[in-house]
Amino acid sequence: MKSENNDTILGILLSKGTKAPLSHVFDIFLSHSSFDKTEIAGMVTLLGNIGYRVYVDFRGDPHLDPNRVNRETAATIRRRLQNSGTLVFVLSVNVRRSAWMPWELGYFGELRKHIVIFLIEHVPVLGRRYKGQEYLDLYDYIDKVTRA
């Protein structure tokens, strides 16, 4: 179901560089490519400044290596997803370079929780069609961040 007013997201901002307790509850899990770290850090700061909080791996779990696909990392990410109410899938040209984003999206979908796609401006798309990733059209999308 697509929403016409797709400009609001919820989240939790963690202190920089601190590991959050595994029991910490989040409103948002920010799924992103590690190649977009600069843009993501800005997004987390923006969300924090307007009163939202967000989980992002390089701040909540800085010990995790996004290039290492192993059971320990998967268990931590799975727990973070379970403790989050919404997944924001940050769509960029780097999505295909991420080993974790498709897995996070699939796992979160199985949890039957809210998923939204956040389009970074420089991603070329034809309308809302994501060539090779048409399944992304199944989800709500946002293209700006505001407070509800």
Side-chain angles (χ1 to χ4, degrees), residues 33-141:
S33 167
S34 60
F35 294 99
D36 295 323
K37 191 173 182 176
T38 301
E39 292 90 344
I40 298 306
M43 188 175 172
V44 172
T45 299
L46 173 67
L47 290 168
N49 287 343
I50 59 175
Y52 295 117
R53 299 171 297 176
V54 119
Y55 169 80
V56 64
D57 60 350
F58 60 84
R59 290 198 179 164
D61 292 301
H63 64 286
L64 296 180
D65 179 352
N67 298 312
R68 292 187 55 179
V69 177
N70 60 40
R71 289 177 191 259
E72 178 187 349
T73 300
T76 299
I77 297 299
R78 188 177 298 116
R79 183 65 174 266
R80 299 302 190 197
L81 290 163
Q82 292 167 352
N83 289 349
S84 299
T86 298
L87 180 126
V88 175
F89 188 92
V90 181
L91 183 62
S92 79
V93 295
N94 293 311
V95 166
R96 289 191 171 105
R97 298 171 71 181
S98 172
W100 289 102
M101 289 181 72
W103 183 83
E104 292 165 352
L105 183 67
Y107 185 82
F108 208 78
E110 287 296 313
L111 296 174
R112 302 206 188 304
K113 295 182 180 185
H114 190 221
I115 297 171
V116 295
I117 308 301
F118 183 85
L119 180 65
I120 292 180
E121 284 183 39
H122 63 273
V123 177
V125 294
L126 300 171
R128 289 274 326 290
R129 305 305 290 167
Y130 308 104
K131 187 159 174 67
Q133 296 175 301
E134 290 80 5
Y135 58 89
L136 295 177
D137 277 333
L138 298 173
Y139 306 105
D140 291 332
Y141 72 98

